[in-house]
Amino acid sequence: MMSTPIKLTPTGSDEEDDRLRWKHIQKVLLSGVGFFADSYDLFVINPVLTNLAVGYPQTSTDESLIASMALWGAVTGQLVFGLLADMIGRKAIFVTTVLLITIGSIGSASAVDSEVFGIYQQ
């Protein structure tokens, strides 16, 4: 039994190839931005807690709760939004995530005590 050789033919014009490359670059950049935002949030929590303690005196329990809420929020968000992205679509979930991060950032910036800060940080 002989197999038929695979013929490699051009798929389209150079313009289509350029668009394909640009789509790949966009996906890589978007993934990098997502990774940066997630890792920045987790790495910056300790300096933020130090600065937050100046304006809002905290016990070590408060600091521990805020730091652990950041980690639990990251794990929960990755699991929940990852599953939703697989079911609904990545673009809709990305937009939803950006909106939630914006609301959380505004709430964190306007927090009056460590409990409110911890809630908005989620």
Side-chain angles (χ1 to χ4, degrees):
M1 179 190 262
M2 291 192 87
S3 63
T4 318
I6 298 174
K7 294 181 181 179
L8 298 175
T9 58
T11 58
S13 66
D14 288 337
E15 183 180 313
E16 288 177 7
D17 290 341
D18 288 341
R19 257 186 295 166
L20 184 64
R21 283 188 221 126
W22 177 240
K23 285 182 181 180
H24 286 105
I25 291 170
Q26 285 177 322
K27 288 179 184 178
V28 168
L29 290 176
L30 189 60
S31 298
V33 167
F35 176 74
F36 173 75
D38 193 34
S39 62
Y40 177 79
D41 185 40
L42 296 176
F43 291 134
V44 79
I45 190 66
N46 286 328
V48 167
L49 286 174
T50 304
N51 291 334
L52 193 63
V54 172
Y56 306 105
Q58 302 169 7
T59 65
S60 61
T61 305
D62 290 338
E63 290 181 4
S64 298
L65 285 173
I66 291 172
S68 64
M69 280 192 273
L71 295 173
W72 279 108
V75 170
T76 304
Q78 289 171 3
L79 291 173
V80 170
F81 286 105
L83 291 172
L84 285 174
D86 289 341
M87 291 187 287
I88 296 171
R90 303 217 177 265
K91 187 174 184 178
I93 295 301
F94 180 74
V95 171
T96 303
T97 304
V98 168
L99 288 174
L100 289 174
I101 288 173
T102 302
I103 292 167
S105 297
I106 292 169
S108 294
S110 61
V112 293
D113 58 15
S114 60
E115 288 83 14
V116 174
F117 178 76
I119 290 169
Y120 277 115
Q121 186 188 14
Q122 291 291 327

